[in-house]
Amino acid sequence: CVTLGAQATCQVTTVTQELLKEGFHRDLLLKVELGGAREDAGGCAVAARTHLPSGIYVDPYELASLQQHNLTKAVLIPDVVDVEAPDYLAADLLVLLYLNPDPRCSRCFQAALPVHGRYHRPAEETEEALVVLKSPEVLVCCCDNHLSVECWKPAEVEVPCPGKNVSPCQWYSVTRKPAYEESILQVPVGLRQHSSLVCVMTLLVMLLCSSLILAAVCNNRHFS
């Protein structure tokens, strides 16, 4: 379904990845400018296949809500995610994020995805854990367009290619040039020397809350 040009120039696709906000709850912003395409790429579907290490995850319930309101579209592999698991008990995650066309540029696409940092083990000295997020793989499907794809390699993707054409369409992995090879997520962690203090304070808070609950129950019985 793609017309191959005879003399395509192998221009490199530019990928920009940025983590917005601070702390545990961030937004992953991805921007792609297609290379090797001399015509308008408005009829193409573009996706970013991103590998998320165990220290960062996507909340499937939050993603479902965003997709219900047409704010984003993504596929999680696996689709079941333990949002409560700490970093050392969690598994890696693969995300296929569909990108939206940029109205200001015919070959540009972008999308944002909420991501969350996981809790890490307490550290000896540093108060931050570093989670490395590598640059994503860019996938393109152009069933509704005539783009030259000699420089793009066929990719096996088990998700449909959205578009007007309902017939099967081939995804391609494009040669990309990341603005940065990787992004670093800084996650706050506790210090091990504070563990005794944290345990004592937690116990005191639990005792205080239990006392307040018991006092409220006794007062209600008295008035009844």
Side-chain angles (χ1 to χ4, degrees), residues 209-219:
C209 294
S210 300
S211 300
L212 294 175
I213 294 174
L214 289 174
V217 171
C218 292
N219 289 335

Side-chain angles (χ1 to χ4, degrees), residues 25 54 57-61 80-91 116-120:
H25 309 289
S54 59
Y57 70 96
V58 175
D59 188 335
Y61 303 102
V80 178
V81 180
D82 186 353
V83 299
E84 301 294 339
D87 163 70
Y88 48 89
L89 294 178
H116 307 275
R118 293 188 183 274
Y119 290 108
H120 288 63

Side-chain angles (χ1 to χ4, degrees), residues 25-51:
H25 309 289
R26 313 290 288 271
D27 284 336
L28 177 62
L29 177 62
L30 292 174
K31 296 181 180 180
V32 171
E33 182 176 357
L34 291 181
R38 287 177 285 180
E39 294 92 351
D40 188 344
C44 294
V46 179
R49 183 155 54 182
T50 303
H51 172 260

Side-chain angles (χ1 to χ4, degrees), residues 23-223:
F24 284 91
H25 309 289
R26 313 290 288 271
D27 284 336
L28 177 62
L29 177 62
L30 292 174
K31 296 181 180 180
V32 171
E33 182 176 357
L34 291 181
R38 287 177 285 180
E39 294 92 351
D40 188 344
C44 294
V46 179
R49 183 155 54 182
T50 303
H51 172 260
L52 299 183
S54 59
I56 189 172
Y57 70 96
V58 175
D59 188 335
Y61 303 102
E62 180 182 22
L63 178 60
S65 177
L66 292 174
Q67 294 190 133
Q68 185 178 7
H69 294 86
N70 295 323
L71 297 178
T72 190
K73 184 177 182 181
V75 177
L76 301 182
I77 304 172
D79 56 356
V80 178
V81 180
D82 186 353
V83 299
E84 301 294 339
D87 163 70
Y88 48 89
L89 294 178
D92 294 357
L93 184 65
L94 187 64
V95 180
L96 186 70
L97 176 64
Y98 292 89
L99 307 183
N100 301 314
D102 187 341
R104 299 167 296 180
C105 173
S106 63
R107 293 183 299 176
C108 300
F109 299 79
Q110 64 180 4
L113 180 69
V115 295
H116 307 275
R118 293 188 183 274
Y119 290 108
H120 288 63
R121 294 184 186 274
E124 292 289 349
E125 299 178 356
T126 180
E127 296 184 358
E128 290 182 333
L130 303 181
V131 180
V132 179
L133 188 61
K134 295 183 178 180
S135 179
E137 178 186 8
V138 178
L139 302 173
V140 179
C141 174
C142 297
C143 284
D144 299 333
N145 205 289
H146 301 288
L147 294 181
S148 301
V149 294
E150 284 95 335
C151 306
W152 301 348
K153 298 179 180 179
E156 293 184 5
V157 183
E158 297 181 356
V159 296
C161 172
K164 298 178 182 178
N165 195 325
V166 295
S167 61
C169 184
Q170 175 67 57
W171 285 93
Y172 288 87
S173 177
V174 305
T175 304
R176 68 194 190 281
K177 179 181 179 182
Y180 303 97
E181 289 294 340
E182 56 188 28
S183 298
I184 305 295
L185 173 66
Q186 297 177 330
V187 180
V189 298
L191 297 177
R192 289 186 178 178
Q193 56 265 34
H194 295 162
S195 59
S196 298
L197 177 61
V198 171
C199 291
V200 171
M201 295 300 297
T202 303
L203 179 60
L204 291 176
V205 171
M206 291 177 60
L207 292 174
L208 176 61
C209 294
S210 300
S211 300
L212 294 175
I213 294 174
L214 289 174
V217 171
C218 292
N219 289 335
N220 289 336
R221 286 183 177 179
H222 175 73
F223 285 111

